[in-house]
Amino acid sequence: MRFKVAISVSVLILVLPSASVIAAEDLEHGRRIFRACASCHPIETTHSAFGPSLKDIVGRRVAAASDYSYSPAMQAAGDKGLVWDEAALAEFLVNPQAKMPGNKMRFWGLWKSQVDDVVAFMKTFSANQ
Ligand code: HEC
């Protein structure tokens, strides 16, 4: 009995610190991936640039940056009420043209393994999440 308790305590000690390190690494990975997006997308301000601002993007309606002129394809998706939840963002970022044919984001897409981390990073700039 005493032996069992000792084992579970040491398992906790081993598992807890590494779990928090992994979470920190994911955000750091997301931040590095976002550098590729940042050349077109501001995320710290709501002012759009070559691409629309991605501040508050997680949970935001598609094509909702009021100072940005979207393509008809993206505008139409927004008018239909599509919201950028995590699933929609993941699908779009893996293959932007497949998710929304005709949109004007010229980007090759991300690997599935990069998407979760970049979405987690964008979430830290999204107040409505
Ligand atoms: C070469 C410039 C460029 C790069 C790089 C780029 N984007 Fe875009 N992105 C755009 C443009 C332009 C649009 C607007 C598309 C339209 O109106 O059809 C857009 C639209 C979007 C939207 C929809 C925004 C809204 O308001 O509905 C999201 C989300 C998005 N991009 C995420 C990303 C992410 C995440 C990355 C990096 C992994 C990225 N983009 C990289 C140019 C870019």
Side-chain angles (χ1 to χ4, degrees):
M1 186 59 196
R2 188 175 289 175
F3 183 55
K4 255 192 188 164
V5 170
I7 286 181
S8 47
V9 167
S10 61
V11 165
L12 271 184
I13 290 170
L14 285 175
V15 167
L16 284 180
S18 57
S20 56
V21 167
I22 287 168
E25 273 173 7
D26 287 351
L27 270 187
E28 176 53 26
H29 185 218
R31 193 178 63 77
R32 273 184 279 128
I33 293 168
F34 193 81
R35 285 194 203 139
C37 324
S39 54
C40 297
H41 292 288
I43 193 160
E44 289 179 3
T45 86
T46 54
H47 298 294
S48 298
F50 181 77
S53 162
L54 295 183
K55 185 152 174 35
D56 289 327
I57 192 67
V58 186
R60 190 171 91 185
R61 192 176 52 75
V62 172
S66 55
D67 65 346
Y68 190 77
S69 176
Y70 291 93
S71 64
M74 196 159 282
Q75 190 61 59
D79 291 346
K80 271 193 238 153
L82 185 64
V83 167
W84 287 125
D85 57 17
E86 290 180 44
L89 279 170
E91 225 185 299
F92 177 68
L93 293 174
V94 166
N95 189 342
Q97 290 302 323
K99 166 78 176 162
M100 208 171 282
N103 86 77
K104 64 177 178 179
M105 172 159 135
R106 296 291 161 259
F107 189 73
W108 56 94
L110 295 177
W111 299 112
K112 188 84 191 73
S113 59
Q114 300 176 310
V115 164
D116 291 348
D117 293 348
V118 83
V119 170
F121 173 76
M122 292 193 291
K123 233 173 153 177
T124 64
F125 290 90
S126 291
N128 33 7
Q129 276 305 292

